[in-house]
Amino acid sequence: RHAVGKQGPVTLELKSSAFDPKEKVWTKFPQEGSKHTPRHNSCDFRWKDYCPQVFRTLRKLFKVDAADYMLSLCGSEALRELSSPGKSGSFFYLTNDDRYMIKTMKKSEVKMLLKMLPAYYNHVRAFEDTLVTKFFGLHCVKLAGANQKKVRFVIMGNLFCSHNSIHRRFDLKGSSLGRTTDKPQTEIDQYTTLKDLDLNFIFRLKKQWFQEFQR
Protein backbone atom coordinates (compact mmCIF):
# COMPACT_ATOMS: atom_id res chain seq x y z
CA ARG A 1 0.00 0.00 0.00
CA HIS A 2 2.78 2.36 0.98
CA ALA A 3 4.75 1.71 -2.23
CA VAL A 4 1.81 2.07 -4.62
CA GLY A 5 0.00 4.80 -2.67
CA LYS A 6 2.83 7.34 -2.97
CA GLN A 7 2.64 7.38 -6.76
CA GLY A 8 4.06 10.41 -8.53
CA PRO A 9 3.42 11.64 -12.07
CA VAL A 10 3.74 8.97 -14.77
CA THR A 11 5.72 9.71 -17.92
CA LEU A 12 6.41 7.22 -20.72
CA GLU A 13 9.73 8.88 -21.62
CA LEU A 14 11.82 7.54 -18.76
CA LYS A 15 15.41 8.61 -18.24
CA SER A 16 18.10 5.91 -18.31
CA SER A 17 18.73 6.60 -14.61
CA ALA A 18 15.26 5.17 -13.81
CA PHE A 19 16.52 1.75 -14.95
CA ASP A 20 19.75 1.86 -12.93
CA PRO A 21 19.93 -1.24 -10.65
CA LYS A 22 21.02 1.17 -7.91
CA GLU A 23 17.69 2.99 -8.31
CA LYS A 24 16.03 1.50 -5.23
CA VAL A 25 14.25 2.98 -2.25
CA TRP A 26 14.58 1.57 1.27
CA THR A 27 11.87 2.44 3.80
CA LYS A 28 11.94 1.57 7.51
CA PHE A 29 8.66 0.35 9.04
CA PRO A 30 8.95 0.51 12.85
CA GLN A 31 6.14 -1.24 14.73
CA GLU A 32 5.02 2.01 16.40
CA GLY A 33 4.81 3.82 13.07
CA SER A 34 6.66 6.91 11.90
CA LYS A 35 6.11 10.20 10.14
CA HIS A 36 5.82 8.39 6.80
CA THR A 37 4.67 4.87 7.76
CA PRO A 38 1.64 3.47 9.66
CA ARG A 39 1.62 1.46 12.90
CA HIS A 40 1.53 -2.31 12.39
CA ASN A 41 1.42 -5.55 14.39
CA SER A 42 4.48 -7.19 12.81
CA CYS A 43 8.03 -6.76 14.05
CA ASP A 44 10.15 -3.91 12.68
CA PHE A 45 11.12 -4.40 9.05
CA ARG A 46 12.65 -2.65 6.08
CA TRP A 47 11.06 -2.53 2.63
CA LYS A 48 12.79 -1.97 -0.69
CA ASP A 49 11.33 -0.88 -4.05
CA TYR A 50 13.44 -1.61 -7.13
CA CYS A 51 13.18 0.91 -10.00
CA PRO A 52 9.84 2.20 -8.67
CA GLN A 53 9.29 4.70 -11.49
CA VAL A 54 9.70 2.00 -14.16
CA PHE A 55 7.23 -0.41 -12.56
CA ARG A 56 4.77 2.42 -11.88
CA THR A 57 4.85 3.23 -15.60
CA LEU A 58 4.56 -0.45 -16.56
CA ARG A 59 1.40 -0.75 -14.45
CA LYS A 60 0.04 2.25 -16.34
CA LEU A 61 0.93 0.64 -19.71
CA PHE A 62 -0.79 -2.57 -18.61
CA LYS A 63 -3.87 -0.49 -17.65
CA VAL A 64 -3.72 -1.53 -13.99
CA ASP A 65 -5.78 0.70 -11.70
CA ALA A 66 -3.74 1.56 -8.59
CA ALA A 67 -6.71 1.22 -6.20
CA ASP A 68 -7.73 -2.19 -7.62
CA TYR A 69 -4.10 -3.33 -7.51
CA MET A 70 -3.78 -2.43 -3.83
CA LEU A 71 -7.13 -4.05 -3.03
CA SER A 72 -6.11 -7.33 -4.70
CA LEU A 73 -2.72 -7.51 -2.96
CA CYS A 74 -3.37 -5.76 0.35
CA GLY A 75 -7.09 -6.34 1.00
CA SER A 76 -8.53 -8.33 3.90
CA GLU A 77 -8.25 -11.64 2.04
CA ALA A 78 -5.08 -13.65 2.68
CA LEU A 79 -2.73 -14.72 -0.10
CA ARG A 80 -2.83 -18.39 -1.10
CA GLU A 81 0.48 -20.27 -1.13
CA LEU A 82 1.03 -22.68 -4.02
CA SER A 83 3.27 -25.72 -4.01
CA SER A 84 6.20 -24.87 -6.27
CA PRO A 85 5.76 -26.48 -9.71
CA GLY A 86 9.40 -25.85 -10.70
CA LYS A 87 12.88 -26.72 -9.53
CA SER A 88 13.87 -23.17 -8.59
CA GLY A 89 12.88 -23.50 -4.94
CA SER A 90 10.82 -20.32 -5.18
CA PHE A 91 7.61 -19.82 -3.23
CA PHE A 92 4.51 -18.79 -5.15
CA TYR A 93 1.46 -16.95 -3.82
CA LEU A 94 -1.83 -16.06 -5.50
CA THR A 95 -4.12 -13.18 -4.63
CA ASN A 96 -7.64 -14.19 -3.67
CA ASP A 97 -9.09 -12.86 -6.95
CA ASP A 98 -6.50 -14.89 -8.96
CA ARG A 99 -5.31 -11.79 -10.84
CA TYR A 100 -1.77 -11.56 -9.43
CA MET A 101 0.98 -14.02 -8.56
CA ILE A 102 3.89 -13.34 -6.20
CA LYS A 103 7.12 -15.27 -6.69
CA THR A 104 10.14 -15.17 -4.39
CA MET A 105 13.45 -14.67 -6.20
CA LYS A 106 17.13 -15.23 -5.63
CA LYS A 107 19.50 -12.26 -5.71
CA SER A 108 20.90 -13.46 -9.07
CA GLU A 109 17.37 -13.60 -10.55
CA VAL A 110 16.65 -10.05 -9.40
CA LYS A 111 19.89 -8.87 -11.03
CA MET A 112 18.91 -10.61 -14.29
CA LEU A 113 15.43 -9.05 -14.31
CA LEU A 114 16.88 -5.59 -13.69
CA LYS A 115 19.37 -6.15 -16.52
CA MET A 116 16.50 -7.08 -18.86
CA LEU A 117 14.25 -4.23 -17.67
CA PRO A 118 15.12 -1.56 -20.31
CA ALA A 119 14.54 -3.98 -23.22
CA TYR A 120 11.40 -5.34 -21.53
CA TYR A 121 10.01 -1.83 -21.05
CA ASN A 122 10.68 -0.89 -24.69
CA HIS A 123 8.98 -4.11 -25.84
CA VAL A 124 5.86 -3.40 -23.76
CA ARG A 125 5.72 0.15 -25.14
CA ALA A 126 6.02 -1.09 -28.72
CA PHE A 127 3.51 -3.95 -28.40
CA GLU A 128 0.66 -3.10 -26.05
CA ASP A 129 -0.99 -6.51 -26.60
CA THR A 130 2.21 -8.43 -25.86
CA LEU A 131 1.78 -11.97 -24.52
CA VAL A 132 4.98 -11.95 -22.44
CA THR A 133 4.68 -12.25 -18.68
CA LYS A 134 3.49 -8.99 -17.11
CA PHE A 135 5.70 -7.71 -14.28
CA PHE A 136 4.08 -5.15 -11.96
CA GLY A 137 6.57 -4.69 -9.14
CA LEU A 138 9.91 -5.87 -7.74
CA HIS A 139 10.44 -5.64 -4.00
CA CYS A 140 12.44 -6.84 -1.03
CA VAL A 141 11.58 -7.12 2.66
CA LYS A 142 14.01 -7.62 5.58
CA LEU A 143 12.97 -8.15 9.17
CA ALA A 144 14.90 -6.38 11.93
CA GLY A 145 17.89 -8.29 13.26
CA ALA A 146 21.40 -9.08 12.07
CA ASN A 147 20.69 -12.69 11.04
CA GLN A 148 17.48 -12.08 9.14
CA LYS A 149 17.57 -12.86 5.43
CA LYS A 150 16.24 -10.57 2.75
CA VAL A 151 13.20 -11.89 0.91
CA ARG A 152 13.07 -10.63 -2.68
CA PHE A 153 9.93 -11.09 -4.76
CA VAL A 154 8.28 -10.06 -8.00
CA ILE A 155 4.57 -9.41 -8.61
CA MET A 156 3.29 -10.80 -11.93
CA GLY A 157 0.03 -11.18 -13.78
CA ASN A 158 -1.49 -14.64 -13.38
CA LEU A 159 -1.69 -16.26 -16.82
CA PHE A 160 -4.40 -18.67 -15.67
CA CYS A 161 -6.84 -15.96 -14.56
CA SER A 162 -9.30 -16.48 -17.41
CA HIS A 163 -13.03 -16.83 -18.02
CA ASN A 164 -12.21 -19.55 -20.55
CA SER A 165 -12.05 -23.20 -19.58
CA ILE A 166 -8.42 -24.39 -19.57
CA HIS A 167 -8.16 -28.04 -20.68
CA ARG A 168 -4.40 -28.21 -21.41
CA ARG A 169 -1.47 -26.48 -19.70
CA PHE A 170 2.05 -26.18 -21.08
CA ASP A 171 5.33 -25.02 -19.55
CA LEU A 172 7.28 -23.89 -22.64
CA LYS A 173 10.98 -23.07 -22.38
CA GLY A 174 11.98 -23.07 -26.07
CA SER A 175 14.06 -26.22 -25.58
CA SER A 176 13.73 -29.82 -26.79
CA LEU A 177 16.04 -31.48 -24.25
CA GLY A 178 13.89 -33.64 -21.98
CA ARG A 179 10.86 -31.53 -22.81
CA THR A 180 8.12 -34.17 -22.72
CA THR A 181 5.81 -35.20 -19.91
CA ASP A 182 6.49 -38.58 -18.27
CA LYS A 183 2.76 -39.30 -17.79
CA PRO A 184 0.93 -41.81 -19.98
CA GLN A 185 -1.77 -40.35 -22.24
CA THR A 186 -4.56 -41.86 -20.12
CA GLU A 187 -3.44 -39.90 -17.03
CA ILE A 188 -3.17 -36.47 -18.66
CA ASP A 189 -5.85 -34.01 -17.59
CA GLN A 190 -6.35 -30.23 -17.34
CA TYR A 191 -4.00 -30.02 -14.33
CA THR A 192 -1.06 -31.85 -15.95
CA THR A 193 1.89 -29.61 -16.84
CA LEU A 194 2.86 -30.53 -20.40
CA LYS A 195 6.14 -29.49 -22.07
CA ASP A 196 7.47 -28.27 -25.42
CA LEU A 197 7.45 -31.54 -27.36
CA ASP A 198 3.90 -32.33 -26.16
CA LEU A 199 2.60 -29.28 -28.04
CA ASN A 200 1.26 -31.05 -31.12
CA PHE A 201 -1.48 -28.68 -32.26
CA ILE A 202 -2.24 -26.47 -35.24
CA PHE A 203 -3.64 -23.12 -34.14
CA ARG A 204 -6.07 -21.34 -36.45
CA LEU A 205 -6.46 -17.61 -35.82
CA LYS A 206 -8.63 -15.10 -37.60
CA LYS A 207 -6.61 -13.02 -40.05
CA GLN A 208 -6.28 -9.86 -37.91
CA TRP A 209 -5.11 -11.86 -34.88
CA PHE A 210 -2.67 -13.83 -37.00
CA GLN A 211 -1.12 -10.66 -38.44
CA GLU A 212 -0.87 -9.07 -35.00
CA PHE A 213 0.63 -12.26 -33.51
CA GLN A 214 3.26 -12.35 -36.28
CA ARG A 215 4.08 -8.67 -35.78
Side-chain angles (χ1 to χ4, degrees):
R1 276 203 197 104
H2 177 82
V4 178
K6 59 177 185 180
Q7 283 200 348
V10 175
T11 173
L12 297 180
E13 301 300 333
L14 295 175
K15 296 179 180 177
S16 58
S17 59
F19 296 91
D20 191 325
K22 295 176 183 174
E23 185 67 17
K24 48 199 174 189
V25 180
W26 275 109
T27 307
K28 287 183 180 179
F29 279 80
Q31 191 177 36
E32 66 277 9
S34 69
K35 186 179 178 181
H36 303 290
T37 62
R39 288 173 57 88
H40 59 85
N41 295 323
S42 181
C43 59
D44 293 3
F45 67 92
R46 295 172 72 208
W47 170 271
K48 184 197 288 188
D49 280 321
Y50 295 90
C51 299
Q53 193 178 5
V54 178
F55 286 102
R56 185 187 311 146
T57 309
L58 283 170
R59 292 195 293 271
K60 185 80 172 176
L61 287 169
F62 289 132
K63 300 178 176 60
V64 172
D65 179 79
D68 287 344
Y69 183 67
M70 284 194 283
L71 198 61
S72 291
L73 289 158
C74 313
S76 56
E77 303 287 350
L79 299 171
R80 307 199 310 274
E81 185 176 345
L82 304 180
S83 57
S84 173
K87 300 175 183 176
S88 64
S90 296
F91 290 96
F92 292 83
Y93 300 89
L94 268 179
T95 56
N96 193 58
D97 57 10
D98 283 340
R99 288 170 67 185
Y100 303 104
M101 180 177 281
I102 294 171
K103 177 190 176 187
T104 61
M105 300 180 81
K106 298 173 185 171
K107 187 176 182 178
S108 58
E109 292 173 320
V110 170
K111 282 185 174 181
M112 181 58 72
L113 180 53
L114 291 173
K115 188 177 179 181
M116 291 164 49
L117 200 55
Y120 176 82
Y121 177 78
N122 289 333
H123 177 85
V124 171
R125 278 199 67 183
F127 305 104
E128 64 177 53
D129 294 319
T130 178
L131 299 177
V132 299
T133 301
K134 295 178 179 179
F135 294 116
F136 300 116
L138 186 60
H139 311 284
C140 174
V141 66
K142 184 179 185 298
L143 301 183
N147 298 322
Q148 296 289 353
K149 292 182 179 179
K150 294 175 182 175
V151 179
R152 303 168 180 87
F153 61 94
V154 66
I155 301 172
M156 309 180 287
N158 178 20
L159 184 70
F160 295 117
C161 182
S162 171
H163 298 298
N164 298 314
S165 175
I166 297 171
H167 67 289
R168 285 292 181 269
R169 296 172 189 245
F170 292 86
D171 175 18
L172 305 177
K173 296 192 184 298
S175 170
S176 59
L177 187 64
R179 300 301 295 162
T180 53
T181 183
D182 52 5
K183 278 192 173 184
Q185 194 67 32
T186 52
E187 293 181 21
I188 292 172
D189 60 19
Q190 69 267 36
Y191 302 110
T192 305
T193 301
L194 300 167
K195 300 178 184 178
D196 299 69
L197 297 180
D198 302 313
L199 187 67
N200 188 21
F201 293 106
I202 292 174
F203 294 93
R204 300 195 182 278
L205 305 175
K206 61 185 183 183
K207 188 174 181 180
Q208 183 185 348
W209 289 4
F210 175 69
Q211 291 171 342
E212 185 63 18
F213 187 70
Q214 274 198 314
R215 189 174 77 89

